[in-house]
Amino acid sequence: MKIKDTAESWETLSTQRPFQGAKTAVDSDEVRMPDGSVARRDYQVHPGSVCVLALDEDGRVLVLSQYRHPVRRRLWELPAGLLDVPGENPLHGAQRELHEEAHVKAGDWRVLADFYASPGGSDEAIRIFLARDVSEAEGERYAETGSEEADMEVTWVPLAELVRGVLAGELGNPGLVTGVLALSAALAAGSGLDTLRPADAPWPARPYEA
């Protein structure tokens, strides 16, 4: 049996926006249920995100440690960022984030996985790219000030150690968990990473311009 997520939209009777932030918002919808009743659904409206799993020739993954205030923890993560430019090609956003957060560039890009961060309470869609043929970027390193990114630690970790940490419950960032396990599964499949979707593969959750 082949299963696949499908598009569907239940009747929305009204929408209010009780909160509008700098990058995200909160919408409150009145939605018609299948039995005819009406229920309120509150959720975060999000522009979407990209993550980059950069893999070197030694099988190591580039990760960074960043403080995340809502969960009061310092998490190990993949380089990532918001798609806050409407219609932006997600590959361009991923290349920018890899450069800004790690001063790294890559010669080969593939789509590793697409997922929703928390579909019961947010419309945030995330695309994870696999970046290979990596090297240090030219020019001056991007200097971040006044945010958590100014306190990041960046390092390279063997993929097997990250898989172990995920399964042991020691690593919990959703982009890292999804990316690491997806790459592990792709390698185990034996068909080669070149069979992954191309970097410009369609993304119905966040349509973009070429």
Side-chain angles (χ1 to χ4, degrees), residues 47-50 81-97 109 111 127 129 198-203 206-210:
S49 306
V50 288
L82 298 177
L83 290 171
D84 48 7
V85 178
E88 180 181 23
N89 187 319
L91 174 61
H92 300 163
Q95 292 169 333
R96 179 181 63 248
E97 294 301 329
W109 291 82
V111 174
R127 168 159 281 190
F129 288 92
D200 61 353
W203 191 14
R206 289 293 184 274
Y208 61 90
E209 300 172 1

Short mmCIF file of all heavy atoms in Angstrom, two decimals, residues 47-50 81-97 109 111 127 129 198-203 206-210:
data_model
loop_
_atom_site.label_atom_id
_atom_site.label_comp_id
_atom_site.label_asym_id
_atom_site.label_seq_id
_atom_site.Cartn_x
_atom_site.Cartn_y
_atom_site.Cartn_z
N PRO A 47 6.42 31.68 7.95
CA PRO A 47 6.84 31.78 6.54
C PRO A 47 7.52 30.52 6.01
O PRO A 47 7.68 30.38 4.80
CB PRO A 47 7.82 32.95 6.55
CG PRO A 47 8.39 32.94 7.94
CD PRO A 47 7.24 32.54 8.82
N GLY A 48 7.90 29.60 6.88
CA GLY A 48 8.62 28.40 6.47
C GLY A 48 10.11 28.53 6.76
O GLY A 48 10.62 29.63 7.02
N SER A 49 10.80 27.40 6.74
CA SER A 49 12.22 27.36 7.10
C SER A 49 12.98 26.40 6.21
O SER A 49 12.40 25.53 5.57
CB SER A 49 12.40 26.91 8.56
OG SER A 49 11.65 27.70 9.46
N VAL A 50 14.29 26.58 6.21
CA VAL A 50 15.19 25.63 5.55
C VAL A 50 16.26 25.20 6.54
O VAL A 50 16.66 25.96 7.43
CB VAL A 50 15.87 26.24 4.30
CG1 VAL A 50 14.87 26.38 3.16
CG2 VAL A 50 16.52 27.58 4.61
N GLY A 81 17.33 28.58 8.82
CA GLY A 81 16.82 29.94 8.85
C GLY A 81 15.44 30.05 8.25
O GLY A 81 14.94 29.11 7.62
N LEU A 82 14.83 31.21 8.44
CA LEU A 82 13.49 31.47 7.93
C LEU A 82 13.50 31.80 6.45
O LEU A 82 14.47 32.35 5.92
CB LEU A 82 12.86 32.66 8.69
CG LEU A 82 12.65 32.52 10.19
CD1 LEU A 82 12.10 33.83 10.74
CD2 LEU A 82 11.71 31.37 10.49
N LEU A 83 12.38 31.47 5.79
CA LEU A 83 12.15 31.90 4.42
C LEU A 83 11.30 33.17 4.46
O LEU A 83 10.13 33.16 4.10
CB LEU A 83 11.44 30.79 3.63
CG LEU A 83 12.28 29.55 3.34
CD1 LEU A 83 11.41 28.45 2.76
CD2 LEU A 83 13.42 29.88 2.38
N ASP A 84 11.90 34.24 4.93
CA ASP A 84 11.13 35.46 5.16
C ASP A 84 11.10 36.40 3.96
O ASP A 84 10.64 37.53 4.06
CB ASP A 84 11.63 36.19 6.41
CG ASP A 84 13.14 36.35 6.44
OD1 ASP A 84 13.77 36.01 5.44
OD2 ASP A 84 13.66 36.78 7.47
N VAL A 85 11.60 35.94 2.81
CA VAL A 85 11.47 36.69 1.56
C VAL A 85 10.39 35.98 0.74
O VAL A 85 10.60 34.85 0.29
CB VAL A 85 12.79 36.74 0.77
CG1 VAL A 85 12.59 37.49 -0.53
CG2 VAL A 85 13.89 37.38 1.61
N PRO A 86 9.22 36.57 0.54
CA PRO A 86 8.13 35.90 -0.17
C PRO A 86 8.55 35.38 -1.53
O PRO A 86 9.18 36.09 -2.32
CB PRO A 86 7.07 37.00 -0.30
CG PRO A 86 7.34 37.93 0.85
CD PRO A 86 8.84 37.93 1.00
N GLY A 87 8.25 34.08 -1.79
CA GLY A 87 8.56 33.49 -3.08
C GLY A 87 10.00 33.12 -3.29
O GLY A 87 10.37 32.65 -4.38
N GLU A 88 10.86 33.29 -2.28
CA GLU A 88 12.28 32.99 -2.44
C GLU A 88 12.50 31.50 -2.69
O GLU A 88 11.87 30.65 -2.06
CB GLU A 88 13.06 33.42 -1.20
CG GLU A 88 14.56 33.13 -1.31
CD GLU A 88 15.35 33.52 -0.07
OE1 GLU A 88 14.74 33.59 1.02
OE2 GLU A 88 16.55 33.76 -0.19
N ASN A 89 13.40 31.19 -3.61
CA ASN A 89 13.80 29.81 -3.83
C ASN A 89 14.44 29.30 -2.54
O ASN A 89 15.41 29.89 -2.05
CB ASN A 89 14.79 29.75 -4.99
CG ASN A 89 15.13 28.34 -5.39
OD1 ASN A 89 15.31 27.47 -4.57
ND2 ASN A 89 15.24 28.11 -6.69
N PRO A 90 13.95 28.20 -1.96
CA PRO A 90 14.50 27.73 -0.69
C PRO A 90 15.97 27.35 -0.77
O PRO A 90 16.69 27.44 0.23
CB PRO A 90 13.62 26.52 -0.34
CG PRO A 90 12.98 26.12 -1.62
CD PRO A 90 12.80 27.38 -2.40
N LEU A 91 16.44 26.94 -1.95
CA LEU A 91 17.86 26.64 -2.10
C LEU A 91 18.71 27.87 -1.82
O LEU A 91 19.75 27.79 -1.17
CB LEU A 91 18.15 26.10 -3.50
CG LEU A 91 19.63 25.87 -3.83
CD1 LEU A 91 20.26 24.85 -2.90
CD2 LEU A 91 19.79 25.44 -5.29
N HIS A 92 18.26 29.02 -2.31
CA HIS A 92 19.02 30.25 -2.07
C HIS A 92 19.06 30.58 -0.58
O HIS A 92 20.09 31.00 -0.06
CB HIS A 92 18.39 31.41 -2.86
CG HIS A 92 18.38 31.19 -4.33
ND1 HIS A 92 17.57 31.92 -5.19
CD2 HIS A 92 19.07 30.31 -5.12
CE1 HIS A 92 17.77 31.52 -6.43
NE2 HIS A 92 18.66 30.54 -6.42
N GLY A 93 17.93 30.35 0.10
CA GLY A 93 17.92 30.58 1.54
C GLY A 93 18.85 29.63 2.27
O GLY A 93 19.55 30.03 3.22
N ALA A 94 18.89 28.38 1.84
CA ALA A 94 19.76 27.39 2.47
C ALA A 94 21.23 27.74 2.26
O ALA A 94 22.06 27.64 3.18
CB ALA A 94 19.46 26.00 1.92
N GLN A 95 21.57 28.15 1.06
CA GLN A 95 22.96 28.54 0.78
C GLN A 95 23.36 29.74 1.62
O GLN A 95 24.50 29.80 2.14
CB GLN A 95 23.11 28.84 -0.71
CG GLN A 95 22.97 27.60 -1.59
CD GLN A 95 22.86 27.92 -3.07
OE1 GLN A 95 22.40 29.01 -3.45
NE2 GLN A 95 23.26 26.99 -3.92
N ARG A 96 22.46 30.68 1.78
CA ARG A 96 22.74 31.86 2.60
C ARG A 96 22.98 31.48 4.05
O ARG A 96 23.92 31.95 4.70
CB ARG A 96 21.58 32.85 2.48
CG ARG A 96 21.77 34.12 3.32
CD ARG A 96 20.59 35.06 3.18
NE ARG A 96 19.34 34.48 3.68
CZ ARG A 96 18.32 34.16 2.91
NH1 ARG A 96 18.37 34.34 1.60
NH2 ARG A 96 17.22 33.64 3.45
N GLU A 97 22.11 30.61 4.60
CA GLU A 97 22.24 30.23 6.00
C GLU A 97 23.53 29.45 6.25
O GLU A 97 24.19 29.65 7.28
CB GLU A 97 21.04 29.39 6.44
CG GLU A 97 19.72 30.15 6.43
CD GLU A 97 19.72 31.37 7.35
OE1 GLU A 97 20.43 31.33 8.39
OE2 GLU A 97 19.04 32.35 7.03
N TRP A 109 24.03 19.96 -4.10
CA TRP A 109 22.85 20.15 -3.24
C TRP A 109 21.75 19.20 -3.66
O TRP A 109 21.48 19.03 -4.85
CB TRP A 109 22.35 21.59 -3.33
CG TRP A 109 23.28 22.60 -2.72
CD1 TRP A 109 24.38 23.14 -3.30
CD2 TRP A 109 23.18 23.16 -1.42
NE1 TRP A 109 24.98 24.02 -2.44
CE2 TRP A 109 24.27 24.05 -1.28
CE3 TRP A 109 22.28 23.02 -0.36
CZ2 TRP A 109 24.47 24.79 -0.11
CZ3 TRP A 109 22.48 23.75 0.80
CH2 TRP A 109 23.57 24.62 0.92
N VAL A 111 17.64 17.65 -2.14
CA VAL A 111 16.59 17.72 -1.12
C VAL A 111 16.61 16.41 -0.33
O VAL A 111 16.49 15.33 -0.91
CB VAL A 111 15.20 17.93 -1.75
CG1 VAL A 111 14.12 17.86 -0.67
CG2 VAL A 111 15.14 19.27 -2.46
N ARG A 127 12.13 22.48 4.80
CA ARG A 127 12.83 21.67 3.80
C ARG A 127 14.28 21.50 4.26
O ARG A 127 14.96 22.50 4.58
CB ARG A 127 12.77 22.32 2.43
CG ARG A 127 13.72 21.70 1.40
CD ARG A 127 13.32 21.98 -0.03
NE ARG A 127 12.22 21.08 -0.45
CZ ARG A 127 11.79 20.97 -1.70
NH1 ARG A 127 12.33 21.70 -2.66
NH2 ARG A 127 10.80 20.14 -1.99
N PHE A 129 17.97 20.33 3.17
CA PHE A 129 18.85 20.07 2.04
C PHE A 129 20.07 19.27 2.50
O PHE A 129 20.56 19.46 3.61
CB PHE A 129 19.35 21.38 1.41
CG PHE A 129 18.31 22.14 0.65
CD1 PHE A 129 17.55 23.12 1.28
CD2 PHE A 129 18.09 21.89 -0.69
CE1 PHE A 129 16.59 23.84 0.58
CE2 PHE A 129 17.13 22.61 -1.40
CZ PHE A 129 16.38 23.58 -0.76
N PRO A 198 16.34 16.40 -6.69
CA PRO A 198 17.21 17.54 -7.00
C PRO A 198 16.89 18.74 -6.13
O PRO A 198 15.80 18.84 -5.55
CB PRO A 198 16.92 17.82 -8.48
CG PRO A 198 15.55 17.27 -8.70
CD PRO A 198 15.45 16.06 -7.81
N ALA A 199 17.83 19.66 -6.05
CA ALA A 199 17.69 20.81 -5.16
C ALA A 199 16.52 21.71 -5.54
O ALA A 199 16.01 22.46 -4.70
CB ALA A 199 18.98 21.62 -5.15
N ASP A 200 16.08 21.65 -6.80
CA ASP A 200 14.97 22.49 -7.25
C ASP A 200 13.66 21.71 -7.32
O ASP A 200 12.73 22.11 -8.03
CB ASP A 200 15.28 23.12 -8.60
CG ASP A 200 15.51 22.08 -9.70
OD1 ASP A 200 15.57 20.87 -9.38
OD2 ASP A 200 15.64 22.49 -10.87
N ALA A 201 13.55 20.61 -6.59
CA ALA A 201 12.32 19.81 -6.60
C ALA A 201 11.14 20.64 -6.12
O ALA A 201 11.29 21.49 -5.23
CB ALA A 201 12.49 18.58 -5.71
N PRO A 202 9.94 20.44 -6.69
CA PRO A 202 8.76 21.19 -6.25
C PRO A 202 8.52 21.01 -4.76
O PRO A 202 8.81 19.96 -4.18
CB PRO A 202 7.64 20.58 -7.07
CG PRO A 202 8.31 19.98 -8.26
CD PRO A 202 9.64 19.49 -7.77
N TRP A 203 7.93 22.03 -4.15
CA TRP A 203 7.61 22.00 -2.72
C TRP A 203 6.20 22.56 -2.55
O TRP A 203 6.04 23.76 -2.36
CB TRP A 203 8.64 22.82 -1.94
CG TRP A 203 8.58 22.67 -0.45
CD1 TRP A 203 7.91 21.72 0.27
CD2 TRP A 203 9.22 23.51 0.51
NE1 TRP A 203 8.10 21.89 1.61
CE2 TRP A 203 8.91 22.99 1.79
CE3 TRP A 203 10.04 24.64 0.42
CZ2 TRP A 203 9.39 23.58 2.97
CZ3 TRP A 203 10.51 25.21 1.58
CH2 TRP A 203 10.20 24.68 2.85
N ARG A 206 5.35 25.17 0.19
CA ARG A 206 5.86 26.52 0.04
C ARG A 206 6.30 26.73 -1.42
O ARG A 206 7.49 26.68 -1.74
CB ARG A 206 7.06 26.76 0.98
CG ARG A 206 6.70 26.87 2.45
CD ARG A 206 5.88 28.11 2.74
NE ARG A 206 5.60 28.28 4.16
CZ ARG A 206 4.59 27.72 4.79
NH1 ARG A 206 3.73 26.94 4.13
NH2 ARG A 206 4.39 27.94 6.08
N PRO A 207 5.32 26.96 -2.32
CA PRO A 207 5.68 27.19 -3.74
C PRO A 207 6.65 28.36 -3.86
O PRO A 207 6.58 29.34 -3.10
CB PRO A 207 4.33 27.51 -4.38
CG PRO A 207 3.32 26.87 -3.48
CD PRO A 207 3.88 27.01 -2.09
N TYR A 208 7.56 28.26 -4.80
CA TYR A 208 8.59 29.29 -4.93
C TYR A 208 8.89 29.56 -6.39
O TYR A 208 8.56 28.77 -7.27
CB TYR A 208 9.86 28.86 -4.20
CG TYR A 208 10.48 27.58 -4.72
CD1 TYR A 208 11.43 27.59 -5.73
CD2 TYR A 208 10.10 26.36 -4.18
CE1 TYR A 208 11.98 26.43 -6.21
CE2 TYR A 208 10.66 25.17 -4.65
CZ TYR A 208 11.61 25.22 -5.66
OH TYR A 208 12.15 24.04 -6.13
N GLU A 209 9.55 30.68 -6.62
CA GLU A 209 9.98 31.04 -7.97
C GLU A 209 11.31 30.38 -8.27
O GLU A 209 12.13 30.17 -7.38
CB GLU A 209 10.12 32.56 -8.06
CG GLU A 209 8.82 33.33 -7.77
CD GLU A 209 9.03 34.80 -7.68
OE1 GLU A 209 10.17 35.27 -7.86
OE2 GLU A 209 8.05 35.53 -7.41
N ALA A 210 11.55 30.02 -9.51
CA ALA A 210 12.79 29.35 -9.90
C ALA A 210 13.99 30.28 -9.69
O ALA A 210 13.86 31.49 -9.76
CB ALA A 210 12.71 28.93 -11.35
#
